[in-house]
Amino acid sequence: MNICSAIVHAKPEVAGVVQSRLEAFEGVEVHGGAEVGKLIVTLEGEGDDALADTMAKFNDVTGVINTVMIYHYCGEEPADKEVMK
């Protein structure tokens, strides 16, 4: 399981449209920030390459200025099932 979070900077006047386009990507959720053009995004999927490819495609979305990865979790256990020792 791989989970990443990112901030996607977008032009504020089109951030709502950018949000809709990002949410069309598989495994992507937008958690807010459209009102100021800083979209808080999580990506979930299998394999580092798949998530990296998806994040790279964010920059092809019209209105996106750039994408910055904030956090990356990679593990064999799902994040909500991780064993505490």
Side-chain angles (χ1 to χ4, degrees):
M1 159 143 320
N2 282 289
I3 300 172
C4 292
S5 65
I7 300 295
V8 178
H9 294 94
K11 298 174 184 175
E13 62 272 14
V14 295
V17 174
V18 169
Q19 177 175 344
S20 297
R21 290 179 179 161
L22 294 177
E23 289 172 334
F25 287 96
E26 185 176 343
V28 173
E29 289 183 48
V30 178
H31 303 278
E35 62 281 349
V36 294
K38 293 182 181 177
L39 300 161
I40 303 160
V41 179
T42 55
L43 301 88
E44 186 174 334
E46 298 297 324
D48 295 340
D49 292 342
L51 294 182
D53 291 346
T54 299
M55 282 192 2
K57 290 176 186 176
F58 289 173
N59 293 322
D60 294 334
V61 173
T62 302
V64 170
I65 298 167
N66 72 349
T67 302
V68 180
M69 183 169 60
I70 303 299
Y71 176 79
H72 180 212
Y73 170 84
C74 178
E76 293 183 22
E77 292 289 326
D80 63 340
K81 303 278 186 194
E82 191 170 349
V83 177
M84 301 292 282
K85 293 183 180 183

